[in-house]
Amino acid sequence: MEGRDISMVLGALASLDMKGCKELAVQLSERATSMTSKFVASDWVDTTWAQAKLGVQPDPAYVNALKANLAEMVQGFRAAEMAKMTWALSALKVDLTPRCSAVLMRRAAQTISSAEPDDIARLMTAFVSLELTPDERLREEVMRRATSKMHQFPPSCLASLIWAIASLNAEPSLHFLQAFYKQAVEMQPYFTPPELCQLFLAFAKLRLMPDQSLVSALVAQIVTMLASFTQQQTADVIWAMTALKVPVPQEVASRQSKDATKTRLKAVTHFCFPAVAKDLRGSSEVHAARPCKHDFPGAGQDKVLHGGTTAVSLSTLFRPGNPGRPQATVTNATRLRFSRVQTGGSTLGRD
């Protein structure tokens, strides 16, 4: 089989989600390693994406060849190919060189103007996993393109995109938010529990208070889907709603498991308020500093975010019944960075 034949077969297996054919995929992937010298750009995209989709870890020789050719091949990529390749690199946990990272970001900025909703969401969530921070130009292009295509965004892409924006500490534009809120209301009946969690966690991270119509629609969907929520998802939503001063429906609060909530909130703290967690001192709930990772859902799979030190439970951050007020264990510097929700406003106070 030639290089194009291998990439086409692997791409077909991945498109049909034929994970039961993993043994065949592994054999084809091994064969692909010996054919990389004959690969064109589309072969690299299809093969690498298929490996990621089917859960096949490529041979180190393949990865080395991929990184060696990446800078040249991406020059001809369109938006869809950029999104597929970047997502595949993140899913396979490929350790990119600074040069490869810079080339990806530059080409993404050049092609984002023709990206479709799933391309935009996939690209941004991949940047989170690859720990790549888009520059100002790329952020502006993403906001502009996403705003223009917002009426075409399905629920999964809406949730993934706002989650990625929050994870990257990007600043959503006013026009983007207006279009986002409108589309989210339209898509309200179709949001799943993981997507609802992503939305509320992102709003809390960005310190955004959506308009009342969206809040009411999302809370109604949470209540409708409540039986499908896991304990961790319930804890995520309750925390985010409390942080945003959104009343938690009784039926949602009654599902809360104290043990699950305490464990989950340690992770949520690092996601939404890493600076607060790092500045806490003198609390019995603060553990010894050590590297940690926490999983948060995104784009159909869990995304791993890297924290600096282990987190504290939210009981250390908030007084009961007053989610906007940190406890005395938070330093004064942290208090300045941790603003209350502005009642009646559209956003939370920023630094």
Side-chain angles (χ1 to χ4, degrees), residues 145-154 158 161 176 179-180 183:
R145 181 60 176 176
T147 301
S148 68
K149 302 290 288 187
M150 193 65 73
H151 63 287
Q152 297 180 8
F153 269 70
L158 283 172
L161 178 58
F176 170 88
F180 182 91
Q183 182 67 1

Side-chain angles (χ1 to χ4, degrees), residues 180-203:
F180 182 91
Y181 292 160
K182 180 179 179 181
Q183 182 67 1
V185 171
E186 292 291 327
M187 295 292 104
Q188 172 262 329
Y190 310 106
F191 282 117
T192 63
E195 293 159 0
L196 290 164
C197 289
Q198 283 181 297
L199 288 171
F200 273 98
L201 284 173
F203 293 152

Side-chain angles (χ1 to χ4, degrees), residues 5 15 26 38 122 141 230 248-249 256-257 259 278 282 334 345:
D5 298 328
S15 298
V26 170
K38 300 180 181 180
R122 186 183 294 171
E141 290 296 328
T230 65
V248 180
Q256 186 178 21
S257 165
D259 291 339
K278 288 181 180 180
T334 300

